[in-house]
Amino acid sequence: MVESWVGSMSRLLPRAIRESGHEFTFLTRDLHHYLRSAPEGAAHPLLGARNVITTDTNDTQTLLPEVERLHSVFGFDGVITSCDYYLSTAARIAGTLGLPGSSPEAVENACRKDAARRVLADAGVPGPRFAVHGEWADIARAAREIGYPLVVKPVDLCAGMYVRRVDDEEQLTTAVRALADFPLNARGQRRAPVVLLEELMDGPEVSVETVSHAGAVQVIGVTDKSVGGAPAFIETGHMFPAALPAADAEAAELTALGALKALGLTEGVVAHTEIKLTSAGPRVVEVNPRPAGNRITELVRHVTGIDLAAVFVDVALGRAPDLRRTDTGLRSAAIGFLVPQAAGTLEALDGDALRDGPGVLEVQLAEPGRPVKIADSNNEYLGHVMAGDAEGPGARERVEAILGGLRSRPVIR
């Protein structure tokens, strides 16, 4: 395993690896990054690896020979990561060692939003009008050609970081300057000094969860998404399966399948493809060659019984995944996030009474004393509530009702 996020997948993946009968070696450039995120008094699950090796995971020229040397000792069966910033690295390692997985080029193109846009456009997969530039004069000209309002994006960040709606050139200037002032990502990797401009697409957004193995792609389902925090695009909640007419769900699925085929992501991938259901038809937002974040994998498991973390391990090992559905007793599951609206220090957030509510599956809330800032990405949540509905697509409504009471309770000083 090459690095990891420190959220839920950092717990789910180690468990899935162990339950598959394997052990793992964990490669990281900064062990303290994970030690800091461990629950107080407990070891981080990633540190339950058979081997924990500190090496420069950002320098592939020195990393690849090091991994080859380790492979000669340990005999790896697969390569995996949950962290977007190391998906390309994991693919290159797998390719170098002759282990299962999609081609490094396919993964690299998917992870670079500008490269993905070009590949999808060349293949005729529907998406927004877009332009990619590094110089201000070119950026401003392209913005006028696309037309305001539009969306400004970095090509190599995730979690909605620095993704902004801009309505005029003044806002464009602010957004571009903010991005230029962030030259390194959170893992110390230098960012590409270019900006992606996209037409602002109308309509609701959904994601299509898929599994690719042996050249075939299977759709697990469609998840809906609620977005807030304008001019940022912050994910405020999800429900699986999305409450969509069958024709819309099928159109989203077919568009996602077309995108995965165009990118070459048909082998050893659990993917999360975001789609806008616009007035002109479905359009691709982006393709993520890894399981969905924000606990969507758990929504899927609660409804279908399919454990996408375990599936991710299976396809990384080249094994046919178990995609059989089981009767879980739930028809829908949803999650809602508590997004901070003010800055300061969290003084109190009491959610104990919520845990016994009807259909509640999870309640996770930030501890008092946490510094809080007004959210501008998916990285500042104060917690979440997850609930299920055994009768139909009522899980989202249930979560929203619970969060409606909780939002009035945070005390921030």
Side-chain angles (χ1 to χ4, degrees), residues 309-330:
V311 168
F312 191 27
V313 172
D314 281 338
V315 298
L317 293 168
R319 303 192 306 205
D322 183 359
L323 300 179
R324 292 173 296 177
R325 294 172 182 252
T326 59
D327 184 2
T328 65
L330 292 180

Side-chain angles (χ1 to χ4, degrees), residues 36 41 43 48 60 64 68 70 101 113 154 180 185 196 199 219 244 251 282-283 293 300 304 351 360 396 402:
R36 288 192 297 269
T60 52
L64 290 176
E68 287 183 292
L70 294 171
K113 293 179 176 63
N185 67 24
L196 174 61
E199 170 190 8
V219 174
L244 290 175
R283 300 286 185 268
V300 172
T304 69
V360 171
R396 173 180 284 284
I402 295 170

Side-chain angles (χ1 to χ4, degrees), residues 150-154 160-166 175 231-233 376-377:
L150 49 77
V151 180
V152 174
K153 292 183 177 181
M161 293 183 67
Y162 292 94
V163 179
R164 296 289 183 272
R165 169 182 168 144
V166 298
F233 294 84
D376 58 9
S377 73

Side-chain angles (χ1 to χ4, degrees), residues 45-91:
L46 291 166
L47 304 187
R50 178 180 179 182
N51 311 288
V52 178
I53 296 175
T54 301
T55 186
D56 192 350
T57 51
N58 286 351
D59 183 354
T60 52
Q61 288 189 335
T62 59
L63 179 63
L64 290 176
E66 172 69 1
V67 172
E68 287 183 292
R69 184 186 68 80
L70 294 171
H71 183 48
S72 69
V73 177
F74 300 129
F76 300 126
D77 299 301
V79 188
I80 203 166
T81 184
S82 65
C83 182
D84 295 56
Y85 299 136
Y86 296 95
L87 291 167
S88 299
T89 303

Side-chain angles (χ1 to χ4, degrees), residues 292-349:
N294 269 354
R295 304 291 282 169
I296 291 173
T297 57
E298 290 299 276
L299 301 182
V300 172
R301 183 180 64 82
H302 281 300
V303 175
T304 69
I306 297 172
D307 184 345
L308 287 177
V311 168
F312 191 27
V313 172
D314 281 338
V315 298
L317 293 168
R319 303 192 306 205
D322 183 359
L323 300 179
R324 292 173 296 177
R325 294 172 182 252
T326 59
D327 184 2
T328 65
L330 292 180
R331 298 287 300 279
S332 66
I335 188 169
F337 300 99
L338 190 61
V339 180
Q341 306 295 322
T345 300
L346 181 63
E347 191 169 278
L349 185 54

Side-chain angles (χ1 to χ4, degrees), residues 4 19 24 41 52 68 90 143 163 181 242 270 305 361 388 397 409:
S4 172
E19 291 178 353
F24 69 99
V52 178
E68 287 183 292
V163 179
D181 289 339
V270 178
L361 301 169
E397 184 177 348
R409 299 183 189 181

Side-chain angles (χ1 to χ4, degrees), residues 250-267:
E250 182 180 9
E253 292 172 5
L254 290 174
T255 302
L257 292 173
L260 292 167
K261 181 179 179 181
L263 287 163
L265 294 171
T266 58
E267 180 59 55

